[in-house]
Each structure stands twice: as C-alpha cells, then as structure tokens.
Amino acid sequence: DAGVIQSPRHEVTEMGQEVTLRCKPISGHNSLFWYRQTMMRGLELLIYFNNNVPIDDSGMPEDRFSAKMPNASFSTLKIQPSEPRDSAVYFCASRPLQGTNTEAFFGQGTRLTVV
Amino acid sequence: DQQVKQNSPSLSVQEGRISILNCDYTNSMFDYFLWYKKYPAEGPTFLISISSIKDKNEDGRFTVFLNKSAKHLSLHIVPSQPGDSAVYFCAASATSGTYKYIFGTGTRLKVLA
C-alpha cells in the first residue's frame, strides 16, 4: 500500500485566496484525521471523520475552514479565504479500525504558505 | 488548553547514552498513549504505544513508562543513536470517547556522535 497520500506537498497562495488540501487514506481505513503542525501548538487536531461522517470538528479554528469526506477514499480541507496565520504544515492521518487501540498512519503533509 | 504537554522543547544526548523524553497529560479519561517520531519534511511515524492497564511497554531500544497517578509518561531510548535525532510527539486518547488522538507540542532530540 502506498500509505496516506496528500496533495499538494507545497502550496503558496496569496491572502484571500481559496486553498484546497487533499487526502487519500489507506484503503480499508475508516477513520480519518486532519492535523495542523505549528511551533506553538504542536500537532493540533482540526477534524476527525469516522466512516466518512465528521465526528468532531471542535478543532477547526474558524468558519473559514471546512472539511469534507465524500467517500471512503478521499477527503479535502478547504480554507476560504486564506490568511497568513494559516501558514503551517497540514497532515492527514488514517486509522484501520474504529473503537480499538490502533495507531494512526500519517501522510507526508502539505506545507501551506499564505503571503 | 493543552491536554497533553511536552515541557522540554529540545534535548541533546551523547551517542550510546540514554535519552528520556517526558510527557504529561491532564485528562484522566485518557487510557491509550502513543509516541511518534518525525523527521524533517516527513509525516510522523508511529514508534510505540501503551494502554493504561500497563505501566511499561518495551520494543527493542524503546521503552515507554506510564505513571497514571502522576498523569505522566516517558519514553526511554537506550542506547541512543544518531539516527534517533528527530522530533518526538506524545499522543493520548480516551477509548471510551471518540478515539481522537491529542498530541503534545513535541521534543526535538539531538543525538551527538
């Protein structure tokens, strides 16, 4: 398996533009997480899906952020409009089983720079 | 409010010596804990985990200790190797809840040759 696949790896955009980050989880994994890494807060959980349904979006910082999971093999995180403080590395992770003690597998991340 | 805390942002250790990374948590509902290692420009990779029914779990050079009364866990690496130089994240979850993993801010370990 290729692992969790994120695209793009790097994104540079101007303030006010819409940004869409994409994630393909490992086949058969039915839990998906979006994290943001910053120096101050470490790996911050933004939203968590279980069987394509958002379970907990309490970490989504503002209404400018939205996430979808239209099917088991694809998820997006959208920021509209983007701001310089959104600059960070965004990670997607998936886990094979819901409700059990298993580790999550991370993608390589998308480094977002908003100028 | 940071529920998982790693109070040491960085640590330097000589090759061959023991590295000890610490993690504290505040939520008494947490009952499953993990350590991840992260190299630059890569995603975090799973290292070792421990359930709250145990107080120690060992995997080769890596051992995790859990002190539930103190809400504290630590990762021991013996002996430390230069390839262990990375950022280490502690994570916790409550298996009676939504199973989401809450991460700390990370500790950057540098193993000196």
Side-chain angles (χ1 to χ4, degrees):
Chain A
D1 198 316
V4 176
I5 299 173
Q6 292 186 245
S7 64
R9 289 294 309 276
H10 303 273
E11 176 79 40
V12 180
T13 190
E14 291 185 347
M15 181 174 63
Q17 295 297 306
E18 177 180 297
V19 175
T20 300
L21 311 181
R22 297 172 175 79
C23 175
K24 176 178 166 52
I26 293 173
S27 178
H29 287 193
N30 58 3
S31 297
L32 183 140
F33 307 82
W34 282 100
Y35 286 90
R36 176 170 67 176
Q37 184 189 6
T38 61
M39 289 295 292
M40 291 299 295
R41 301 175 72 92
L43 281 168
E44 180 185 14
L45 178 65
L46 301 178
I47 188 169
Y48 159 52
F49 291 86
N50 206 13
N51 289 324
N52 312 338
V53 175
I55 302 298
D56 186 343
D57 65 354
S58 59
M60 295 287 261
E62 299 170 35
D63 291 345
R64 299 183 296 107
F65 285 70
S66 62
K68 294 182 180 179
M69 192 163 185
N71 57 61
S73 59
F74 184 65
S75 177
T76 59
L77 178 67
K78 184 179 292 186
I79 308 172
Q80 165 64 17
S82 57
E83 296 183 3
R85 59 191 167 124
D86 302 330
S87 298
V89 182
Y90 291 80
F91 289 102
C92 174
S94 69
R95 188 177 65 190
L97 295 168
Q98 88 185 62
T100 59
N101 289 342
T102 56
E103 70 269 24
F105 295 78
F106 280 78
Q108 292 195 297
T110 295
R111 179 174 294 277
L112 173 65
T113 303
V114 183
V115 298
Chain B
D1 180 32
Q2 198 78 16
Q3 296 186 66
V4 178
K5 301 177 184 179
Q6 294 178 256
N7 292 319
S8 298
S10 63
L11 175 68
S12 291
V13 172
Q14 283 295 133
E15 181 180 7
R17 305 296 290 269
I18 184 171
S19 295
I20 300 176
L21 295 93
N22 294 303
C23 177
D24 297 294
Y25 60 96
T26 58
N27 189 337
S28 58
M29 298 298 292
F30 288 150
D31 57 4
Y32 184 60
F33 305 89
L34 311 91
W35 284 94
Y36 278 77
K37 180 168 71 174
K38 185 185 179 304
Y39 292 120
E42 295 184 10
T45 55
F46 171 73
L47 191 57
I48 192 169
S49 64
I50 188 167
S51 166
S52 61
I53 62 173
K54 295 184 175 182
D55 54 18
K56 175 183 174 181
N57 189 26
E58 192 172 350
D59 183 1
R61 297 186 297 113
F62 302 91
T63 303
V64 56
F65 295 92
L66 175 62
N67 182 333
K68 290 184 287 295
S69 61
K71 294 190 178 68
H72 176 84
L73 65 155
S74 61
L75 174 69
H76 292 212
I77 306 173
V78 181
S80 302
Q81 299 174 353
D84 297 329
S85 298
V87 177
Y88 289 79
F89 289 98
C90 167
S93 74
T95 54
S96 61
T98 58
Y99 303 96
K100 61 184 181 182
Y101 295 135
I102 306 298
F103 282 79
T105 51
T107 296
R108 182 177 300 277
L109 173 66
K110 187 171 185 179
V111 180
L112 307 170

